[in-house]
């Protein structure tokens, strides 16, 4: 029995080698039934991934895009981490954004100019200290009066916006005639939104920086 087994060993080795070669070769041959299923599965996965990417905010890629921020307003990049757009009317939010942004742009300009130049009839001081100084001199009542005056027109304009009579923030104010056509108007509107947002961040950094560094 041992002698017969030893005699058959070369034949067994040859059979094993042939089977191994056939198996190795078959690994490089695509199976007709498996390939379409694999392609279909991969295509489905890519499509699902694209759909998920479209549901995320362009401003904060790891957060879901708010459902109400559909890009209808200029400058809408889906940034609403606190979910205000789910509670308030978008027209009210855009009106508030533009109003605060415009005040912030004026504040930034005044903050920088005050450090570089002061009118001869005003004492030279830091912009933050100038606020307290003029409030003590009676300027606080003037500030409240003019802000109330602006807010009065703002409330009337907001009601017109909610009634569909005007776009949010649109006061038809273009004394230099910069918006010559619709494309130019859209470009300036986008620029205003971007500069307004930047100014709000800037003035929010100027004042605390002065409190800390006195510069």
């Amino acid at each position: 029995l041992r002698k017969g087994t030893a005699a058959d060993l070369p034949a067994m080795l040859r059979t094993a080698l042939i089977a191994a070669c056939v198996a190795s070769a078959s690994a490089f041959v695509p199976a007709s039934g498996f390939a379409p299923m694999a392609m279909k599965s991969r295509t489905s996965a890519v499509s699902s991934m694209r759909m998920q990417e479209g549901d995320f905010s362009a401003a904060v890629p790891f957060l879901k895009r708010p459902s109400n921020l559909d890009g209808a307003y200029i400058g809408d990049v889906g940034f609403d981490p606190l979910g205000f757009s789910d509670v308030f009317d978008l027209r009210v939010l855009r009106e508030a954004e533009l109003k605060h942004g415009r005040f912030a742009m004026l504040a930034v300009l005044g903050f920088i100019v005050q450090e570089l130049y002061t009118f001869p009839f005003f004492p030279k001081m830091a912009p933050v200290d100038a606020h307290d100084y003029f409030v003590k001199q009676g300027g606080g009542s003037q500030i409240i009066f003019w802000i109330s005056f602006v807010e009065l027109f703002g409330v009337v304009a907001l009601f017109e916006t909610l009634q569909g009579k005007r776009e949010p923030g649109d006061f038809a104010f273009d004394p230099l005639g910069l918006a010559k056509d619709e494309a130019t108007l859209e470009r300036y509107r986008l620029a205003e939104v971007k500069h307004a947002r930047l100014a709000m961040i800037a003035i929010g950094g100027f004042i605390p920086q002065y409190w800390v560094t006195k510069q």
Side-chain angles (χ1 to χ4, degrees), residues 13-30:
L13 290 175
R14 285 195 299 270
T15 303
L17 289 174
I18 292 172
C21 291
V22 172
S24 299
S26 64
F28 295 94
V29 179

Side-chain angles (χ1 to χ4, degrees), residues 93-204:
L93 295 177
R94 174 48 62 97
E95 187 85 27
E97 180 183 33
L98 289 175
K99 180 174 67 175
H100 288 86
R102 289 163 181 169
F103 276 117
M105 287 188 283
L106 292 174
V108 169
L109 179 63
F111 203 99
I112 296 175
V113 170
Q114 175 69 17
E115 289 189 339
L116 300 177
Y117 175 77
T118 304
F119 288 108
F121 45 85
F122 286 135
K124 178 66 176 179
M125 62 182 62
V128 177
D129 296 333
H131 172 271
D132 298 336
Y133 172 80
F134 285 108
V135 168
K136 293 178 181 179
Q137 297 297 322
S141 57
Q142 297 182 29
I143 295 174
I144 295 175
F145 171 78
W146 287 110
I147 290 179
S148 302
F149 182 75
V150 172
E151 286 293 339
L152 180 62
F153 282 94
V155 171
V156 175
L158 181 59
F159 276 110
E160 291 183 351
T161 299
L162 296 177
Q163 293 172 359
K165 297 180 180 179
R166 64 185 284 273
E167 290 294 321
D170 185 6
F171 289 94
F173 180 78
D174 186 17
L176 301 180
L178 299 177
K180 300 178 181 179
D181 50 55
E182 190 65 26
T184 305
L185 177 61
E186 295 297 308
R187 182 165 58 88
Y188 278 118
R189 283 178 174 174
L190 178 59
E192 181 184 32
V193 170
K194 289 184 176 180
H195 287 86
R197 292 168 178 170
L198 181 61
M200 286 187 283
I201 295 174
I203 196 63

Side-chain angles (χ1 to χ4, degrees), residues 4-95:
T5 303
D8 294 338
L9 185 59
M12 295 173 61
L13 290 175
R14 285 195 299 270
T15 303
L17 289 174
I18 292 172
C21 291
V22 172
S24 299
S26 64
F28 295 94
V29 179
S32 59
F34 177 74
M37 293 178 60
M39 183 65 68
K40 183 177 181 181
S41 177
R42 184 172 61 181
T43 304
S44 177
V46 172
S47 301
S48 177
M49 184 179 298
R50 288 177 179 173
M51 290 178 62
Q52 291 179 359
E53 288 176 355
D55 292 334
F56 283 89
S57 169
V60 190
F62 55 86
L63 293 180
K64 287 288 185 178
R65 178 181 59 83
S67 58
N68 291 329
L69 298 183
D70 54 0
Y73 285 112
I74 295 177
D76 179 9
V77 291
F79 182 78
D80 185 20
L82 299 181
F84 287 127
S85 61
D86 296 329
V87 180
F88 301 100
D89 193 315
L90 287 182
R91 295 170 294 180
V92 177
L93 295 177
R94 174 48 62 97
E95 187 85 27

